[in-house]
Amino acid sequence: MATKNKCKEENDEKNGYKKIKASPAHSTAALIVDEPEDTDPWDLPELKDAGVPWSALDTKGKVLTVLISVGKLILLLGFLYMFVCSLDILSSAFQLVGGKTAGDIFQDNKILSNPLAGLVIGVLVTLLVQSSSTSSSIVVSMVSSGCENTSMHRKHIMMLTVQVAVPIIMGTNIGTSVTNTLVAMTQAGERNTFRRAFAGATVHDFFNWLSVLVLLPLEVASGYLFVVTKLITDSFEIQSGEAPDLLNVITDPLTESIIQLDASVISGIATDDPEAKNKSLIKRWCQTFTNTTLMNVTVPGPENCTSPSLCWVDGNYTFTLKNISETYNIKKCTHLFVDVNLSDMAVGLILLALSLLVLCSCLILIVKLLNSMLKGQVAVVIKKVLNTNFPFPFGWVTGYIAILVGAGMTFIVQSSSVFTSAITPLVGIGVISIERAYPLCLGSNIGTTTTAILAAMASPGETLADALQIALVHFLFNISGIILWYPIPFTRVPIRLAKGLGNITGKYRWFAVVYIICCFFVLPLFIFGLSLAGWKVLVGVGVPLLIMLIIIIVINILQKRKPGWLPAVLRSWDFLPLWAHSLAPCDKAVGVLIAKCCCCCKCCQAVSDDQEDRAEQLENNRTTHTAVYDNPAMSVENEAEDGIKIELNILKMTRL
């Protein structure tokens, strides 16, 4: 019992609780959160410099300080490089694990024609491949494949139209925001740091979900995004260009030496190419040559000819001229897995584990380095540059400059996930405020779409218009979201929601896992199931739930601001059971579960040692009693010997 109580006390102290003595008003000990109530948890902490001031250093000390600072900066850049490369490898791992599944999901056109189902598929596919660019390229391939199958003598098969693809593009915007939310989980060690980091990560989630909540019904009712982007693409004759390679020039040498993927396989599965289903995503040949020859081939009938002028019938045979392509392999790839005889799933799981290990390690080291570098005057300067507004009356300009900075940085790194994941730990340690992180995230949304637009302009002529329109849909969606949720301070709802969620996860850190599972898996699958059941089921179940949610939100707002407008019973939720309006019962259950797990891990060894000591003591007693076993006067000791034997056997069985 003493060991268990000790383990429980250690676990309580680790979780930020302290024990207080019982008073007449409280007959039992209580657990209270050990946090001061007079401080605002959202205030940026002061990063104090505990070192010797610069003015007090001699020449040798100054040189040594400069060398240490330069070394830390080089290490920081190196860890950032490994962090970006690990995100790239993580994306490849997710594509190997779920890429073919993602391609299969896109095949069912009936499901995709449902806007809600299309939205959810966009979320789930982006979660599988961890790249909105890959998801968008699949959509572009499907839209373009309909044009390629058009012929006078063949049935027109449209895999996907741009109008149907709009909800899928909205879904990809949501799915790509899970990466920085996962990155925030690595800072769960310290309560206030985790509160800020998780809020800084989820402000991106709330922006995307709220934008979808407004713009998806608008798109279904009016076709706003489709019509506007169609007018833009029809108004300009845009020539095909070349997509820029900025950060990829630096990261590709390392990532391509580890793994290279054939992205055309996923697109081929999505466009129902039978050959793609049996291909591996791992690229084996990096240089190939395709020879196309015009040859006479037999076809089942005249309707299968390429054109009436190129069709001949000879008895029971029909001939036509057709381009036959044959691919020759020239140069083999040189990455690590080119000759490995493993399935795509096995390679994907190996890369997933390694990339997550490197990602978390780099992130922890980056945070440690930043904490050691951002001290004293350096911290003051950086905080002033990042968080100070322009003087009146130009203070409102600061946020828009932050949007431009976020767009520019994302354009440089060519990934919104990389940029938002990089600023999440900065929000956690208190260098960037959440009010400044919000416009930076909005800018990253724009930056990733400008990269997609340039990539679309590098598409072939037959797919240029569709690829460009889809990229413009993504761009216009983010611009519309910014107009909805940023210009007026009152409309910056994502910041308030993120802070509310940050307060919850700061108090109940296990709730962060619940949020990720519910927001990115349970909720999308629930909506997907309702949409597949039909509009009647969707309206019958969804509308009452939506009305109930709106009523709860309104009551919560009135309870805080105008409680007098409510009946006495609705001025608080105390009339409900505690579990219905508080996470405290769930937290107690989780705490007990964690305490039991920790005590099992820590205390089992101690219990085992106690059992061994007890067994050794019993063995010694047994030896003593055996020495006097033949004495008739020792009958009581003989009975004790039998008891010792029984207890010894029980202990042995317990240890087994």
Side-chain angles (χ1 to χ4, degrees), residues 569-585:
V569 69
L570 288 179
R571 291 175 185 175
S572 71
W573 297 108
D574 293 339
F575 66 93
L576 294 174
L578 184 61
W579 60 266
H581 64 92
S582 174
L583 291 174

Side-chain angles (χ1 to χ4, degrees), residues 379-391:
V380 173
V381 171
I382 291 177
K383 282 187 178 182
K384 283 184 177 180
V385 170
L386 293 177
N387 300 302
T388 304
N389 293 325
F390 285 110

Side-chain angles (χ1 to χ4, degrees), residues 471-543:
L472 287 174
V473 164
H474 201 179
F475 177 76
L476 186 59
F477 170 77
N478 285 310
I479 291 293
S480 302
I482 291 173
I483 294 173
L484 284 172
W485 307 114
Y486 187 75
I488 306 173
F490 174 77
T491 61
R492 295 170 190 174
V493 180
I495 294 179
R496 295 195 290 274
L497 292 177
K499 283 187 173 182
L501 181 61
N503 287 329
I504 294 174
T505 53
K507 188 175 182 181
Y508 310 108
R509 279 175 274 192
W510 54 267
F511 189 75
V513 179
V514 176
Y515 165 79
I516 292 175
I517 294 173
C518 292
C519 185
F520 293 102
F521 295 98
V522 176
L523 180 60
L525 289 174
F526 177 70
I527 297 173
F528 185 66
L530 290 180
S531 62
L532 290 183
W535 285 103
K536 293 181 181 178
V537 176
L538 179 63
V539 173
V541 177
V543 171

Side-chain angles (χ1 to χ4, degrees), residues 183-312:
V183 167
M185 294 292 293
T186 62
Q187 295 186 276
E190 202 278 321
R191 194 175 297 274
N192 280 331
T193 299
F194 185 51
R195 176 189 283 112
R196 289 189 295 267
F198 203 77
T202 54
V203 72
H204 196 190
D205 303 346
F206 284 118
F207 168 78
N208 289 329
W209 278 108
L210 289 172
S211 299
V212 166
L213 192 64
V214 174
L215 295 176
L216 182 60
L218 180 63
E219 176 65 21
V220 172
S222 64
Y224 154 68
L225 295 173
F226 172 76
V227 171
V228 174
T229 54
K230 184 67 175 174
L231 288 174
I232 294 173
T233 53
D234 290 344
S235 301
F236 300 98
E237 293 185 4
I238 303 174
Q239 299 296 323
S240 179
E242 185 176 354
D245 282 330
L246 301 176
L247 189 69
N248 290 345
V249 174
I250 305 173
T251 59
D252 280 352
L254 178 59
T255 57
E256 290 185 356
S257 66
I258 298 173
I259 189 70
Q260 292 186 48
L261 301 185
D262 188 358
S264 63
V265 174
I266 303 177
S267 301
I269 294 173
T271 53
D272 204 16
D273 183 1
E275 295 182 0
K277 295 182 179 179
N278 299 321
K279 283 185 178 180
S280 172
L281 276 168
I282 301 173
K283 185 181 285 189
R284 309 289 181 184
W285 297 93
C286 288
Q287 187 175 351
T288 59
F289 172 72
T290 302
N291 184 32
T292 304
T293 308
L294 189 64
M295 300 176 61
N296 287 330
V297 295
T298 57
V299 291
E303 67 276 3
N304 299 107
C305 293
T306 53
S307 71
S309 60
L310 300 176
C311 194
W312 302 273

